[in-house]
Amino acid sequence: MVEPESPSAPIHIALIGSTSAGKTTLARGVVRACRSRGVEAWLSEDFAARQVGIHWIRSGFARRRLIELASLGYCLVSWRRYREFHALSMRLIREAPGSWLYKAGLLRLTLRKTGIHEIVRRRARDGQIVVSDNEPALQGAHHLFVHPDGARSPSKLNGGDPVGVETFAELAPLTDVVVYLRTPEQAVIDRTLRRGHRRLGSESVESVRRMVRGTVDVFERLSGTSSLRGRLLVSDGCRVYGPENADGSTVRSLAYTARLLEEGLVAARASRVGRSPGRRSPEPLSDTSSQLLDRLNQDGIEYCSLMSDPSSPEGQQRLTLLVDPSALGRVRRVLAELDMKEVLLRRGSRTPGEWHYYGFSPSTGGLTHIHLLSRVLVGPLHLRTHRLPLEAMLLDNVETEGPLPEPAGAAELVLFVLRSFIEPRSAFGGLASVEDRTDARAVLRLIESRCSIPEAVSLLKMHCPPLGEGLFLDCLGALHNEAGWVRRSLLSRTVRRRLRQYRTGGAAGRLGSIARFFRYGGRGGVSRVSERVWHSGGALIAFVGPDATGKSTLAGETARWLGGACGVRVVHLGKPSSSPWTLPINIALRSLRALRGRRPRWKPDAPAESTRSRSGKRAGWSLLIYAVRAVVLAVDRRRAVNSAWLSATRGGVVVCDRYPTAQLGAMDGPRLDPGMEAHGVRAAIYWMLSRWESRVYRGLPQPDVLIRLTVSVETAKERNRRRDKADKHTDEDLESRHQSLGTWNTREDRCRDVSTEGTLEETLSRVKNAIWEVL
C-alpha cells in the first residue's frame, strides 16, 4: 500500500457523533499520530486558545469562558458569511422546548462553535492539522435537534419538513474533512449512563435511551446528506471508511486523513487497554483461607466475597465474606475448629452482624483476616452508619469463575456506589489522597467491565428503591467525571437523606462518625486496629534468655506481626524508663557515676562478692550507693511490669523484651543478698534495702507466655562481636550471663523453649507457632 502524501494546505478535521461515542479519545489519538510523524497538530480548543493568546491560563473554566468571548468576536465579524445558518439556528432555538435559560445556553454553544470554526479558518497555516472533537458546527445538530424534554424527531421541526437536517447541513460551516463516529446504540447508552451528561441529564435509563436514539437518528440522517459528499469519512471504532470511486479506490483528497485516523484509532485503543482492568484477581489464598473456603463449600453454606478495604498491613491477607444469616452458627463453628481467633473493639459495643477473625498460616508466617458479615453494613469500620437491605441481591447474584464466589458485576456496582457516597470519606472527598481517588476509579472500571448499567439500575429498583434511579446515575457520573468535593458532598448528603430509614443510629452517632473521621486523619477503620483486642483476653508475652540470643529482634518482629490484628506495646524491662519518683534519684546516681568514673559491669555473682568483701563494719558508702541503685531499678521494673500487666488485663497485647525474676544473682533478678548479717548502721541500711528489693521482685505478676531463647555460647560471642554497640559485653561476661539464666513461676504449658541457632526466618516461624498456640 502506497503511503499517502502529506498535503501542503492546512486540514481542519471535524469529528461528529453521539455523546460518549469516543470523539475526544480519537481526536487525541490523531494529534499524537500526527506529532509522531513530525506534523504540527492541535485540538481546536487548544489552537484557538493559542491564537488569541490565552493558552497560558491553566484553569479550564476560565479558559473556556475567554475562548467564548473571543469566538463571539470572530462570529460577529463573519456574521454575513453565515447569516442563513444563524437564522436557521435562531429559529430552531426559538422552537426548542425548555426555559429561556436553556435556550440561552443553546445560543451560546452555537455561537461558540461558529466562532472557533472561523478562528481555525483564518489562522491555520500550511501544513497544520486541527482536529475538532466537540467544537464543529455540525455537532450542533446534537443540541439543536434533540432536547432533554422529549427527544424531538427532526421531521417535526421546520414545520414538519422532513429535510430539516439536510437544510442544516447545507447552511452550516463545513470543515475540510468530516468524520462520523458510528457507534452501536447500546454502547452509547451504556457510556452515557456511566459518565452522565450535563444537558441530557440522567433522570432514568429510559429517558437516556430515548434521547440517545434520537441523537443517533439525527447523525445518521446528517451523514447521508449530499452536502457532505466528498469530505465524509465514517469510523466504526476499528476501521475508517470513505467515499469510493467506481474502481473502488478511496478519494485521494481524503486518503491522508484516513491514514491518520487509522493511526489515531490504534492509539485510542492502546490508551483504553491501559486503563481497562481485567477481572478481579486476588492474591493466592493462604492455607488458612483455602481450608476455610473448602469447609464452607463442603457444608453447602451460601456466601460471597465482597471487596475489602484497599489497605491492609503488609503480609496479611484479608477476606470479607457475606454469609447467609441462617448459616451463621455453622460458619462460626468452622472458624473455631480452624483455630481462628476473634477480636473485638476495646471500647464501645460490637456492631451486630459483623465479626473479625484472625488465623495463622504456618507456611507463610502471616495472618489471615476474616471479616465476617451477616448484614450489609456501610460506613467506617469503627462506626457503621447504615444497614442496607442488599443481602439477597448480593447472595442471589453470584459468579464463581475464580477461587472465591463474587457478586455479579451489577450487584457489586450498586454496593460500590452506595458505599462511595455514604461513608464520611466521600462527604469530605477533597481530603482523600490522590492515590485513594485513583484506586477508586480503577475499582469502578473493574466492576463496570463486568456489567451493564441498566442491569444495575434494575437491581437498585428491586432492592433499594428509596435511592431513586436518577440519583444513582448522578452519583455514578460524579465518580466517573471526578467531580469536586463540593459536588460529592452535596450528593452524599442527598444519598444519606434518601436512605435515612436505613440508619443504624441517630444524630449523635453521625456526629461521632465525623469526629472520628477527623481524629484519625480520614484513614477510617484501618487506624482502629490499635483499638482491637482478642476476644479471649489480652496477653503478656515475655522474651527471656542470655545476651545475644535475639530477644530485642524477636520482640520487634512479634510486635509487627500481631500489630496488624490488634494493639501491641513493646516494653523493655531490662532498662525501664524512670518514674517521676525515681527520676531525681537516677539523675543523681548518673551524676555521681560521672564524677567517680565508670565502675565495672554488674555480674551474676556480684551479690556474693559484695557480701564477702563488704560485710559488717567494712560496708562503705559505695555499697550503699550500689544498694540504692539496685532498689531504684527494682522499683522501676515493678512499675513497668504493672503497667504492662494492666494493658494486658484490658485486652491488649504487651511484648516484653526481658522479664524480671525473683532468683537472686540471675540476670534481671535481685542484686542484693538479704541473708547477710548486718553489723553497724550502714550494713543495717544495706540489709533493709536488700529486703525491700527482694519483696519487690517476689510480688511481680508472671507473664502469660514465656519464650525462653537459647543459643550456644560460641554463637552468642560471634553475634556480640558483630553488634554495632559502644558498650558491648566481653566474652567473659557473656559466659557468666549464659550460666545465670533465672527461673520463673509461669505455668509450664505457657512456656516455650526456642533455639535461635538457625536463621531469623526459621526462628521467627517457631516463635509465631509458640505464641499462637497459647494466645
Side-chain angles (χ1 to χ4, degrees):
M1 179 179 179
V2 179
E3 180 74 16
E5 298 181 358
S6 172
S8 58
I11 301 178
H12 187 187
I13 304 173
L15 305 183
I16 63 173
S18 303
T19 180
S20 302
K23 297 185 295 296
T24 302
T25 304
L26 178 57
R28 292 173 178 170
V30 171
V31 170
R32 286 195 298 270
C34 291
R35 292 177 178 175
S36 66
R37 286 169 165 256
V39 179
E40 185 179 358
W42 299 92
L43 294 177
S44 59
E45 185 173 321
D46 295 338
F47 180 83
R50 184 169 293 274
Q51 295 303 316
V52 298
I54 60 174
H55 58 281
W56 53 271
I57 298 178
R58 293 188 176 184
S59 172
F61 176 82
R63 187 164 69 167
R64 282 192 294 271
R65 301 292 84 80
L66 292 175
I67 288 177
E68 287 178 356
L69 289 177
S71 61
L72 176 61
Y74 276 88
C75 185
L76 294 177
V77 170
S78 60
W79 188 270
R80 292 177 59 85
R81 183 185 183 92
Y82 305 114
R83 61 181 181 273
E84 295 182 1
F85 172 73
H86 289 311
L88 175 62
S89 300
M90 292 295 183
R91 182 156 57 91
L92 293 174
I93 293 173
R94 188 169 58 251
E95 295 176 358
S99 64
W100 66 269
L101 188 62
Y102 171 71
K103 295 179 180 180
L106 297 181
L107 178 61
R108 176 180 62 84
L109 290 174
T110 302
L111 296 178
R112 170 192 170 96
K113 294 177 185 300
T114 307
I116 290 181
H117 174 85
E118 192 64 15
I119 292 175
V120 175
R121 190 184 71 84
R122 290 170 177 261
R123 295 294 189 91
R125 303 191 307 271
D126 290 345
Q128 287 184 329
I129 294 179
V130 181
V131 185
S132 296
D133 52 349
N134 289 311
E135 309 304 335
L138 284 176
Q139 186 65 24
H142 179 211
H143 58 265
L144 292 178
F145 287 92
V146 182
H147 306 283
D149 296 340
R152 286 202 172 192
S153 171
S155 62
K156 297 182 180 179
L157 296 171
N158 206 12
D161 186 1
V163 294
V165 175
E166 178 76 28
T167 305
F168 177 84
E170 291 176 358
L171 301 178
L174 297 179
T175 58
D176 301 309
V177 179
V178 178
V179 181
Y180 171 44
L181 273 67
R182 179 175 287 152
T183 309
E185 181 181 304
Q186 188 58 47
V188 175
I189 293 173
D190 287 342
R191 293 176 189 173
T192 305
L193 289 172
R194 290 189 179 100
R195 296 168 48 187
H197 195 283
R198 288 174 303 200
R199 196 178 68 85
L200 288 182
S202 54
E203 295 181 357
S204 66
V205 174
E206 186 56 37
S207 64
V208 172
R209 181 179 289 111
R210 184 174 60 251
M211 286 182 285
V212 168
R213 285 175 178 172
T215 305
V216 171
D217 180 66
V218 166
F219 281 107
E220 286 293 335
R221 291 172 178 264
L222 189 64
S223 63
T225 58
S226 58
S227 302
L228 300 185
R229 292 174 184 169
R231 66 179 74 205
L232 178 69
L233 295 173
V234 179
S235 171
D236 60 0
C238 298
R239 294 185 57 189
V240 178
Y241 305 91
E244 296 182 347
N245 295 328
D247 57 357
S249 61
T250 305
V251 177
R252 183 171 300 176
S253 60
L254 299 180
Y256 182 72
T257 305
R259 180 62 178 172
L260 292 179
L261 289 173
E262 293 280 0
E263 296 178 4
L265 287 173
V266 173
R269 284 195 295 269
S271 65
R272 283 195 295 267
V273 170
R275 295 195 309 266
S276 301
R279 184 175 177 81
R280 174 155 52 118
S281 54
E283 57 183 309
L285 296 176
S286 63
D287 298 341
T288 306
S289 302
S290 299
Q291 293 174 9
L292 173 62
L293 298 182
D294 290 341
R295 290 288 303 276
L296 296 181
N297 295 331
Q298 290 174 6
D299 294 347
I301 295 175
E302 189 177 5
Y303 72 99
C304 67
S305 171
L306 304 181
M307 281 192 175
S308 304
D309 294 335
S311 56
S312 295
E314 185 179 357
Q316 183 183 117
Q317 185 174 88
R318 177 171 179 172
L319 296 180
T320 300
L321 301 181
L322 175 67
V323 302
D324 185 25
S326 61
L328 183 61
R330 288 185 291 163
V331 174
R332 299 191 68 185
R333 282 195 299 271
V334 169
L335 291 170
E337 292 172 2
L338 294 177
D339 196 25
M340 293 194 177
K341 306 179 189 298
E342 184 181 1
V343 295
L344 307 172
L345 286 179
R346 186 193 307 270
R347 299 178 182 87
S349 59
R350 182 181 59 80
T351 304
E354 181 177 25
W355 296 264
H356 294 273
Y357 284 85
Y358 283 88
F360 173 61
S361 177
S363 60
T364 62
L367 294 177
T368 299
H369 180 191
I370 304 299
H371 184 195
L372 187 63
L373 295 171
S374 63
R375 296 286 185 264
V376 178
L377 301 168
V378 179
L381 192 59
H382 58 277
L383 182 61
R384 299 302 191 184
T385 56
H386 291 72
R387 184 246 160 167
L388 302 178
L390 303 179
E391 297 87 3
M393 178 191 74
L394 295 170
L395 293 174
D396 292 344
N397 298 272
V398 174
E399 299 174 352
T400 56
E401 296 183 12
L404 286 169
E406 303 171 5
E412 200 161 22
L413 179 62
V414 172
L415 179 60
F416 178 81
V417 173
L418 292 180
R419 283 188 57 187
S420 299
F421 287 90
I422 289 179
E423 295 179 356
R425 178 184 292 272
S426 62
F428 305 96
L431 302 179
S433 65
V434 175
E435 292 78 8
D436 290 339
R437 294 196 292 269
T438 303
D439 290 342
R441 291 194 297 271
V443 171
L444 181 61
R445 291 196 299 268
L446 168 64
I447 298 174
E448 287 181 341
S449 65
R450 302 165 43 210
C451 70
S452 66
I453 306 302
E455 184 181 358
V457 171
S458 177
L459 291 177
L460 178 77
K461 290 180 179 179
M462 182 182 304
H463 297 278
C464 191
L467 183 66
E469 180 180 352
L471 180 57
F472 176 80
L473 295 177
D474 286 340
C475 293
L476 186 61
L479 292 175
H480 261 289
N481 300 325
E482 303 177 25
W485 71 272
V486 174
R487 170 67 172 163
R488 290 172 63 92
S489 300
L490 294 176
L491 286 174
S492 178
R493 182 179 179 182
T494 305
V495 169
R496 288 198 290 266
R497 186 173 63 249
R498 293 272 187 93
L499 302 180
R500 57 183 176 270
Q501 64 266 42
Y502 300 135
R503 290 172 181 165
T504 58
R510 293 193 297 275
L511 291 177
S513 173
I514 295 175
R516 287 181 174 88
F517 173 83
F518 283 108
R519 176 184 175 187
Y520 294 101
R523 294 190 300 272
V526 176
S527 63
R528 297 290 285 179
V529 172
S530 60
E531 295 295 319
R532 295 180 189 162
V533 296
W534 297 103
H535 188 220
S536 57
L540 192 64
I541 304 172
F543 286 88
V544 298
D547 286 316
T549 53
K551 296 184 296 297
S552 299
T553 301
L554 292 175
E557 292 294 334
T558 300
R560 280 190 288 272
W561 171 55
L562 293 177
C566 63
V568 179
R569 282 181 56 195
V570 179
V571 181
H572 194 292
L573 297 180
K575 298 177 181 179
S577 59
S578 302
S579 67
W581 304 104
T582 61
L583 181 61
I585 302 176
N586 282 323
I587 293 176
L589 291 173
R590 291 192 187 99
S591 301
L592 183 61
R593 191 186 315 163
L595 293 175
R596 298 174 57 199
R598 187 171 183 85
R599 297 295 181 180
R601 278 181 177 273
W602 173 87
K603 297 181 180 180
D605 57 351
E609 289 184 359
S610 64
T611 300
R612 290 192 299 268
S613 62
R614 299 180 180 181
S615 60
K617 296 181 179 180
R618 296 180 61 83
W621 289 109
S622 60
L623 181 60
L624 289 183
I625 293 173
Y626 174 80
V628 169
R629 183 185 173 204
V631 172
V632 170
L633 178 61
V635 172
D636 286 339
R637 283 174 173 171
R638 180 181 64 182
R639 177 176 175 272
V641 169
N642 289 341
S643 175
W645 180 263
L646 182 60
S647 297
T649 302
R650 292 174 177 172
V653 173
V654 182
V655 180
C656 301
D657 182 358
R658 299 165 64 169
Y659 202 84
T661 175
Q663 181 179 341
L664 179 65
M667 189 175 64
D668 301 323
R671 299 186 176 187
L672 307 178
D673 185 5
M676 64 171 276
E677 297 180 0
H679 299 285
V681 176
R682 293 171 186 166
I685 295 175
Y686 175 87
W687 178 78
M688 288 187 296
L689 291 175
S690 64
R691 295 291 298 270
W692 185 4
E693 183 197 35
S694 179
R695 286 196 302 270
V696 169
Y697 281 102
R698 285 200 306 268
L700 294 179
Q702 293 300 306
D704 297 304
V705 183
L706 187 69
I707 306 296
R708 294 182 296 221
L709 304 178
T710 60
V711 73
S712 64
V713 178
E714 290 74 16
T715 303
K717 290 179 181 179
E718 181 63 27
R719 291 177 181 175
N720 185 61
R721 296 188 190 100
R722 293 198 302 264
R723 281 181 172 178
D724 186 12
K725 187 177 179 182
D727 188 20
K728 295 190 292 188
H729 295 288
T730 63
D731 290 349
E732 293 76 12
D733 290 340
L734 281 175
E735 290 180 0
S736 61
R737 285 173 176 261
H738 272 253
Q739 297 172 2
S740 61
L741 186 62
T743 58
W744 291 261
N745 294 327
T746 306
R747 289 169 44 188
E748 193 60 32
D749 61 337
R750 294 274 173 167
C751 298
R752 294 293 186 273
D753 293 320
V754 176
S755 173
T756 62
E757 288 285 349
T759 63
L760 176 60
E761 291 74 15
E762 296 172 349
T763 303
L764 192 57
S765 177
R766 290 192 291 268
V767 168
K768 289 179 179 180
N769 278 288
I771 293 176
W772 193 258
E773 290 176 1
V774 296
L775 191 61

